[in-house]
Amino acid sequence: MTGAANFLHVTQPTLSRQLKELEEELGAEAIRKAPSSPNDCRSPV
C-alpha cells in the first residue's frame, strides 16, 4: 500500500481511508489484501 501511496503522491493513511470509503460505497472489497500477520484468519475473497 505504501508503494501505491508514493506513486499517487498521497500519504498511506489517506490512501487507506479513500480505499475504505470506496469499498463501503461499492459494498465490496476493491482489492484483495494480504494477511497482515500469519495469525490473520480472514477468509479469502
Side-chain angles (χ1 to χ4, degrees):
M1 185 76 73
T2 301
N6 288 336
F7 179 78
L8 297 169
H9 303 286
V10 297
T11 63
Q12 188 273 328
T14 298
L15 181 58
S16 293
R17 187 189 78 244
Q18 290 176 339
L19 182 58
K20 182 179 177 184
E21 290 173 2
L22 176 64
E23 289 175 335
E24 289 173 358
E25 185 177 328
L26 295 174
E29 271 191 1
I31 61 171
R32 292 185 184 201
K33 299 170 188 75
S36 57
S37 74
N39 298 325
D40 192 335
C41 43
R42 287 182 290 185
S43 57
V45 176

